[in-house]
Amino acid sequence: MDQKSLWNRISDGLGIIGFTPLGLVLLIVLALLPFVSPFNQEHILRWLIMGAFLAAQCVAFDFTAGYINVVNFGFAAILGAGAYTSAVLANTSPVISVQPGLSPWIGIWIGALFAGLIGFGVGILTLRLRGIFAAVMAWFVGIALLGVANNLTNITRGPMGMAPRTFLETTSNRPYFYIILAMMLIVYITLRLVVRSRFGLAFKAIGQNFDAARASGINPTLYRVFNFTLSAFFAGWLGGFYAHYFGSLTPQTLMHTSKTVEVLALAYIGGRGSLWGGMAIAFPFVFGIEALRSNLTDLPGLHLVIYGVLMIAIMVYYPAGFAGFYAWAKDKLSGLLARARGQAQPIEAP
Amino acid sequence: MLLDAERVIKNFGGLTAVNRVTLQVDASQIVGLIGPNGAGKTTFLNCVAGTYPPSAGKVRFQGKETTGSTPEDMCRMGLSRTFQIPRPFPMLTALENVMVGAVFGAEHGSKKPARGRAEEALKFVNFPLALDTPAQRLNAVQLKRLDLARALACGPKLLFLDELASGLTPGELDTMMALILKIRDTYGVGMIVVEHIMKVITGICERVLVIQYGTPIAEGTPREVMQDPKVIEAYLGEEVVA
């Protein structure tokens, strides 16, 4: 009896930060993977890092799309703005005109703040717009940011790309995996805590029915702008990781709308408004896509087609996505278990 | 005086939807607002509740001038409303829907936990289903009860009921009227009731204001108003009166 209550207490505690016992086990497995063959190979470690990077983006993206119901099409560009800010601040090389030489570990926070500021601006700009109009406005901001990054050639070198300093001297991928895994967890747990509070209720109310939310006393300006700012802050922070991990930045590979669409597709397939759905499926997806890509080198962009087809299928036939499927399956399973137990009892009784 | 709306005007371009409507409501008083379709009843409510600012005129609520306040401010001051077409939050459960009102409404600072107040409001309106039913699975009548519970959970002093009784069967109508009276008697809430069903107006309203083309044409007790030739003309046409 005591043991059970302890178990319940642990499981409740995990629930607050958004984990089920199963989720925690999967996370521990994920954390141990880099020590197990074949995952300890450098190129597979890179896939794992990409997976965690995409997973964290999905969480930050779903925080806006899944809750206040505005698709931030400028997401990748905001992420890129954070990446460039951090990269330029860390620069020591004479190829670009400024050499502040700041540590990347500090730079990514400044990049995050700058991205948060842009998010704040996008939040204000899209305040009076609903649904698709807000999405288009955010998209325009993203295109403008891409243009700025392309044209500020004296500090970004534009399309020629820049080579930011990396976090570490090492060429091993393993430490980077733990950095991005920790970042992913910070993004997820922080946003999860926000969503569990009254803020989450306000976000959902605004997203689902703007007028009724206002008539219930919710100030939409406050919550929408806060939501955009926080989502963009984390996007910029993750962008900083990208810059100082890959050590190469071009506007096109980081800030293009297709990058937003990749995250959007994953977040939608994972399940809108769940936060964890996109995060969970990002890993198997990256592996599937990379495996496809390495076997079908003559079909570039195939992964985008697959994303698109899957996303359309999910949106039309199963809008709750993977998270919804999981909830359904769990429900069915516990129902079956309960019935099995119920049937077993009469046999034991006599 | 709980609400004092004075000569409220609302123009949409060249169209005057509400034309100098004056209306007062006291605590525990139910005032009916009637008129033919398109008379400007809901527009008047919207002007008072802050959905959009009136073009002219004054609104005073609990002694404070509130002309042009936002809907969220009005709600936090104690004005709640239901919607003509009930507008819940479809992906939230029934309880969560009502929680929104309890958490952010006029009693947002209350020491009593929001969840308890939400459950109380749902019980008060006799919500017939499990509290964790998603709102998108409710039928029209259940949605009306849910919307009413949400409005109540805000902790209103003044409640606008916009065609709450339309679409109900005669049996449901009686229950709904009893419920409205129970809200008034329990919480001392003042109400403006917009309604087409005369049985509701005569059954629960102390006073009725009739508007046509946005302009007030009669005011008085339900009985007085319904004998007023101008009102009969507005509803039934000129020949009947002649």
Side-chain angles (χ1 to χ4, degrees), chain A residues 198-199 201-202 204-206 208-209 211-221 223, chain B residues 70-72 75-76 83 87-92 96 99-101 103-105 150 154:
Chain A
R198 65 211 307 262
F199 281 79
L201 193 61
K204 285 190 216 162
I206 293 168
Q208 290 175 32
N209 190 331
D211 293 321
R214 295 191 78 181
S216 308
I218 296 175
N219 178 345
T221 311
Y223 290 101
Chain B
T70 60
E72 57 269 22
C75 172
R76 288 184 158 227
F83 289 92
R87 298 169 167 181
F89 309 109
M91 313 287 282
L92 299 184
E96 285 172 324
M99 286 271 289
V100 173
V103 171
F104 299 99
R150 182 195 54 74
C154 293

Side-chain angles (χ1 to χ4, degrees), chain B residues 24-101:
Chain B
Q24 277 109 21
V25 186
D26 278 324
S28 291
Q29 190 180 43
I30 303 180
V31 177
L33 182 60
I34 63 172
N37 283 326
K41 305 180 293 285
T42 301
T43 309
F44 172 73
L45 293 189
N46 284 342
C47 284
V48 176
T51 310
Y52 25 73
S55 311
K58 264 203 180 107
V59 180
R60 293 167 67 82
F61 180 46
Q62 300 184 82
K64 260 186 281 177
E65 167 143 13
T66 59
T67 321
S69 293
T70 60
E72 57 269 22
D73 286 343
M74 291 307 285
C75 172
R76 288 184 158 227
M77 274 188 270
L79 193 162
S80 291
R81 67 180 302 183
T82 65
F83 289 92
Q84 195 170 359
I85 298 154
R87 298 169 167 181
F89 309 109
M91 313 287 282
L92 299 184
T93 66
L95 181 65
E96 285 172 324
N97 263 274
V98 182
M99 286 271 289
V100 173

Side-chain angles (χ1 to χ4, degrees), chain A residues 128-185:
Chain A
R128 293 188 160 273
L129 308 173
R130 300 195 191 174
I132 186 75
F133 302 103
V136 169
M137 179 60 97
W139 186 37
F140 288 164
V141 172
I143 291 171
L145 284 172
L146 179 68
V148 169
N150 260 327
N151 290 307
L152 274 180
T153 43
N154 55 344
I155 59 167
T156 66
R157 301 216 316 147
M160 297 204 301
M162 62 184 289
R165 274 163 63 198
T166 53
F167 280 121
L168 309 163
E169 298 294 321
T170 169
T171 51
S172 162
N173 283 303
R174 202 183 283 158
Y176 284 102
F177 173 66
Y178 289 108
I179 294 174
I180 188 64
L181 197 64
M183 288 174 82
M184 180 190 92
L185 285 177

Side-chain angles (χ1 to χ4, degrees), chain A residues 318-340:
Chain A
Y318 208 82
F322 177 71
F325 173 75
Y326 175 80
W328 173 84
K330 199 175 144 194
D331 211 46
K332 272 271 150 41
L333 202 66
S334 60
L336 278 178
L337 278 176
R339 209 181 309 157

Side-chain angles (χ1 to χ4, degrees), chain B residues 33-216:
Chain B
L33 182 60
I34 63 172
N37 283 326
K41 305 180 293 285
T42 301
T43 309
F44 172 73
L45 293 189
N46 284 342
C47 284
V48 176
T51 310
Y52 25 73
S55 311
K58 264 203 180 107
V59 180
R60 293 167 67 82
F61 180 46
Q62 300 184 82
K64 260 186 281 177
E65 167 143 13
T66 59
T67 321
S69 293
T70 60
E72 57 269 22
D73 286 343
M74 291 307 285
C75 172
R76 288 184 158 227
M77 274 188 270
L79 193 162
S80 291
R81 67 180 302 183
T82 65
F83 289 92
Q84 195 170 359
I85 298 154
R87 298 169 167 181
F89 309 109
M91 313 287 282
L92 299 184
T93 66
L95 181 65
E96 285 172 324
N97 263 274
V98 182
M99 286 271 289
V100 173
V103 171
F104 299 99
E107 292 192 347
H108 56 92
S110 165
K111 288 212 176 66
K112 258 174 102 183
R115 192 192 167 94
R117 283 185 285 125
E119 281 169 356
E120 201 178 291
L122 278 161
K123 210 170 147 196
F124 196 94
V125 303
N126 295 316
F127 187 72
L129 302 175
L131 300 190
D132 61 355
T133 315
Q136 57 186 352
R137 288 214 210 123
L138 304 184
N139 67 30
V141 178
Q142 291 157 350
L143 283 177
K144 288 193 176 221
R145 282 189 191 265
L146 183 68
D147 204 27
L148 182 59
R150 182 195 54 74
L152 269 184
C154 293
K157 302 263 191 302
L158 179 65
L159 190 55
F160 289 175
L161 303 178
D162 199 349
E163 297 197 17
L164 193 65
S166 63
L168 302 185
T169 64
E172 289 165 341
L173 206 62
D174 290 333
T175 335
M176 189 58 95
M177 282 163 64
L179 180 59
I180 294 172
L181 292 174
K182 192 173 133 200
I183 291 170
R184 181 195 65 185
D185 297 338
T186 312
Y187 298 110
V189 176
M191 295 184 215
I192 298 181
V193 177
V194 168
E195 201 52 72
H196 280 296
I197 301 169
M198 281 306 155
K199 189 182 165 192
V200 176
I201 295 294
T202 50
I204 62 174
C205 295
E206 232 173 85
R207 204 150 46 80
V208 181
L209 176 72
V210 190
I211 59 178
Q212 186 189 19
Y213 305 122
T215 313

Side-chain angles (χ1 to χ4, degrees), chain A residues 160-348:
Chain A
M160 297 204 301
M162 62 184 289
R165 274 163 63 198
T166 53
F167 280 121
L168 309 163
E169 298 294 321
T170 169
T171 51
S172 162
N173 283 303
R174 202 183 283 158
Y176 284 102
F177 173 66
Y178 289 108
I179 294 174
I180 188 64
L181 197 64
M183 288 174 82
M184 180 190 92
L185 285 177
I186 290 170
V187 172
Y188 177 64
I189 292 173
T190 310
L191 295 185
R192 178 73 196 190
L193 288 174
V194 172
V195 159
R196 267 182 65 93
S197 72
R198 65 211 307 262
F199 281 79
L201 193 61
F203 293 154
K204 285 190 216 162
I206 293 168
Q208 290 175 32
N209 190 331
F210 197 76
D211 293 321
R214 295 191 78 181
S216 308
I218 296 175
N219 178 345
T221 311
L222 176 74
Y223 290 101
R224 255 177 94 154
V225 173
F226 174 77
N227 183 299
F228 266 100
T229 308
L230 195 58
S231 169
F233 174 87
F234 280 127
W237 194 51
L238 294 165
F241 170 82
Y242 183 98
H244 301 299
Y245 164 62
F246 282 106
S248 105
L249 270 187
T250 58
Q252 214 45 245
T253 53
L254 188 61
M255 300 171 76
H256 193 259
T257 311
S258 68
K259 294 290 155 188
T260 302
V261 172
E262 237 179 282
V263 174
L264 177 147
L266 270 177
Y268 274 35
I269 296 166
R272 288 173 75 177
S274 71
L275 284 189
W276 67 268
M279 184 170 77
I281 62 158
F283 292 94
F285 251 79
V286 166
F287 276 79
I289 296 294
E290 290 297 331
L292 259 180
R293 213 182 333 207
S294 52
N295 291 325
L296 298 162
T297 40
D298 51 338
L299 290 173
L302 182 70
H303 67 293
L304 284 177
V305 176
I306 294 174
Y307 275 146
V309 170
L310 257 172
M311 188 178 81
I312 291 167
I314 290 272
M315 285 176 78
V316 173
Y317 297 105
Y318 208 82
F322 177 71
F325 173 75
Y326 175 80
W328 173 84
K330 199 175 144 194
D331 211 46
K332 272 271 150 41
L333 202 66
S334 60
L336 278 178
L337 278 176
R339 209 181 309 157
R341 228 174 281 151
Q343 277 170 350
Q345 249 164 9
I347 302 167
E348 279 174 319

